Amino acid sequence: MFGVPLLHRVGPNAGAVAFLFVSYPGIFVVCLLVGTDSGMQMEYLAFAAGAVLVLGVEPIAPPLIVGIFSLAFILALEIFAPHNSGLLSETEMLGVFIAVVTATTTIVFAVVFYAVREAARSEANRRV
């Protein structure tokens, strides 16, 4: 994953796409092994929000595709993955859940905060 920033030489979105191609299946496998009670499937929501920020809104297709894949992976996990595979104890599962939800909430907050702040800055510059 350390090489992702170097992929900008291939194209402006190559790093983001490579990150998604590695992260989406990785989270899916971990959720299958540990269970959905870990909350790891919520990371797909942060990826969808981040895709809009990183890939932009013009054209709409790339972030929309990421959002659709996020939805598909979350639903597939809810249908096919166990809630708790027994790999972790209840206490460990709660700790993982707290960490994942905290990190995901922080990422989504940061993405929305940045987007709204940039929109407000743009509006303020337009008025001047």
Side-chain angles (χ1 to χ4, degrees), residues 1-80:
M1 295 311 297
F2 293 114
V4 168
L6 299 176
L7 291 174
H8 75 280
R9 296 175 186 160
V10 177
N13 295 329
V17 171
F19 177 76
L20 293 174
F21 272 110
V22 171
S23 298
Y24 269 54
I27 291 171
F28 194 84
V29 168
V30 169
C31 276
L32 283 177
L33 293 174
V34 176
T36 57
D37 284 353
S38 67
M40 290 201 60
Q41 69 276 16
M42 292 179 66
E43 290 184 9
Y44 290 121
L45 299 174
F47 290 157
V52 175
L53 191 63
V54 172
L55 300 174
V57 294
E58 292 295 330
I60 186 88
L64 183 62
I65 290 169
V66 172
I68 290 169
F69 273 110
S70 294
L71 174 64
F73 274 73
I74 291 169
L75 293 176
L77 283 168
E78 193 59 36
I79 293 168
F80 298 114

Side-chain angles (χ1 to χ4, degrees), residues 55-117:
L55 300 174
V57 294
E58 292 295 330
I60 186 88
L64 183 62
I65 290 169
V66 172
I68 290 169
F69 273 110
S70 294
L71 174 64
F73 274 73
I74 291 169
L75 293 176
L77 283 168
E78 193 59 36
I79 293 168
F80 298 114
H83 290 287
N84 187 346
S85 68
L87 192 62
L88 300 175
S89 70
E90 291 295 322
T91 305
E92 292 169 327
M93 189 68 88
L94 179 61
V96 170
F97 179 81
I98 290 169
V100 168
V101 170
T102 302
T104 303
T105 302
T106 303
I107 291 168
V108 171
F109 175 82
V111 166
V112 172
F113 180 82
Y114 177 79
V116 171
R117 186 183 72 183

